[in-house]
Amino acid sequence: LQLYARQAARAVITALERGEYAEGLAREQAVAEYRAQLMDVLSHEVQNPLTAILQNAELLLTEDHHDALTVRGLENVQRGARRIEAMCHDLLVLARVGRPDRPLDHVVDLVAQTRGVLDLLAGEADARDIAIELDAEPAELLVVGDVQDLDAVVSNLVANAVKYSEPGGRVAVSLHRVDQRVRIEVVDRGVGIGEEDRARVFEEFFRSTDPRVRQRPGTGLGLAIAERAVSRHGGTISVQSSPEDGTRFVVELPVWDG
Ligand code: ADP
């Protein structure tokens, strides 16, 4: 991947040196082109072979004549490939959320959308013995925006709440109207975030050094994605947390009244 990134950067620098970009626009255009090349590499040269690796590991694991060492090796392959897959996915989502040219023109019912996200996360929550509760009032809360971006906001917050809770824990998701805004709150009683880390959680690639965080898989991009998506929609996102009480994320987005 580093090699591809270097090749893409070199191509852009060569084009710059040849004067292929108009003055003024040069930097912006060069960066956009670099980003497009890198994303192309991620989606084709990295994601496609990864899919093949994962499919083959899965297929081999279904056979029951392997010795314990082979099974352990295959499971390690699977775990490693899944981590790269998650990183590719989040990098592509982050690049997409940052593109200003994508229209924000869909009317989205955040209550229905949140139910959909919770359905998708139910398996993971069950596996970790975490109960997720949803409280929505009124039953429909509309905003205007990009479906995928809004999905990414809710799913990153709830997935984190599940991931950083201890087995037997509870996650409370609520949606309410407050004046002209929809307020989404995601509350957990999990490992919490210390004061120093709190200021940094929305930074790209930031992960706490707390071992209870590091032992769980993650890319450090989920909250950066959520923050970009929320601000693109004219909203705000904030966090209150302590290692004793757990974590509360609050998102507010402008309501759409038709
Ligand atoms: P990650 O993939 O590491 O979860 P995020 O960008 O989603 O990346 O979150 C950044 C960091 O913020 C996490 O690594 C963790 O330290 C902290 N964090 C986010 N959500 C929670 C939460 N609900 N409880 C405790 N810590 C959290």
Side-chain angles (χ1 to χ4, degrees):
L1 185 58
Q2 259 181 351
L3 184 73
Y4 279 118
R6 251 181 262 137
Q7 276 174 357
R10 213 171 297 130
V12 171
I13 290 164
T14 312
L16 269 173
E17 283 168 355
R18 284 203 203 112
E20 286 176 16
Y21 298 103
E23 190 91 9
L25 270 179
R27 213 185 115 71
E28 214 173 296
Q29 211 167 332
V31 170
E33 232 158 88
Y34 171 70
R35 193 206 300 250
Q37 285 191 32
L38 206 54
M39 292 308 128
D40 200 51
V41 165
L42 271 182
S43 55
H44 296 108
E45 307 299 331
V46 181
Q47 266 190 338
N48 290 350
L50 259 184
T51 307
I53 291 169
L54 277 167
Q55 279 171 350
N56 281 291
E58 219 156 278
L59 193 74
L60 288 169
L61 276 168
T62 57
E63 307 206 349
D64 52 14
H65 58 261
H66 296 309
D67 56 61
L69 197 67
T70 309
V71 170
R72 222 174 54 218
L74 284 169
E75 282 170 350
N76 284 340
V77 167
Q78 225 175 14
R79 230 186 331 270
R82 282 198 187 125
R83 282 180 61 179
I84 303 175
E85 192 184 41
M87 184 55 88
C88 274
H89 174 268
D90 280 1
L91 281 169
L92 288 166
V93 174
L94 187 72
R96 195 199 65 217
V97 168
R99 276 178 48 186
D101 54 321
R102 288 175 44 255
L104 300 172
D105 56 3
H106 275 81
V107 177
V108 180
D109 173 12
L110 280 178
V111 179
Q113 194 181 31
T114 300
R115 282 189 206 287
V117 168
L118 298 192
D119 282 348
L120 287 177
L121 293 173
E124 177 66 18
D126 281 351
R128 305 206 55 244
D129 189 23
I130 312 281
I132 308 181
E133 292 156 5
L134 174 65
D135 167 31
E137 176 65 44
E140 190 182 69
L141 286 161
L142 303 179
V143 299
V144 173
D146 180 285
V147 181
Q148 285 175 307
D149 280 13
L150 295 168
D151 222 70
V153 173
V154 180
S155 84
N156 277 316
L157 294 183
V158 182
N160 278 349
V162 170
K163 180 164 69 173
Y164 298 117
S165 287
E166 303 297 357
R170 271 170 196 284
V171 171
V173 181
S174 69
L175 289 101
H176 292 103
R177 180 175 177 145
V178 179
D179 301 325
Q180 289 309 304
R181 299 173 89 75
V182 177
R183 179 180 293 167
I184 310 167
E185 292 186 69
V186 179
V187 181
D188 68 63
R189 299 217 156 254
V191 302
I193 306 170
E195 199 182 329
E196 270 179 37
D197 290 345
R198 223 156 39 230
R200 303 194 53 199
V201 291
F202 296 107
E203 284 175 21
E204 288 168 22
F205 302 108
F206 175 79
R207 302 201 77 209
S208 168
T209 51
D210 183 330
R212 290 171 307 168
V213 169
R214 288 300 166 111
Q215 73 196 195
R216 302 162 206 223
T219 63
L221 290 175
L223 290 179
I225 290 170
E227 206 245 359
R228 275 199 205 177
V230 167
S231 67
R232 253 191 106 215
H233 286 73
T236 56
I237 182 167
S238 60
V239 60
Q240 298 154 14
S241 183
S242 73
E244 297 78 38
D245 302 325
T247 304
R248 171 189 300 263
F249 277 95
V250 180
V251 169
E252 290 198 347
L253 293 163
V255 80
W256 188 78
D257 277 326

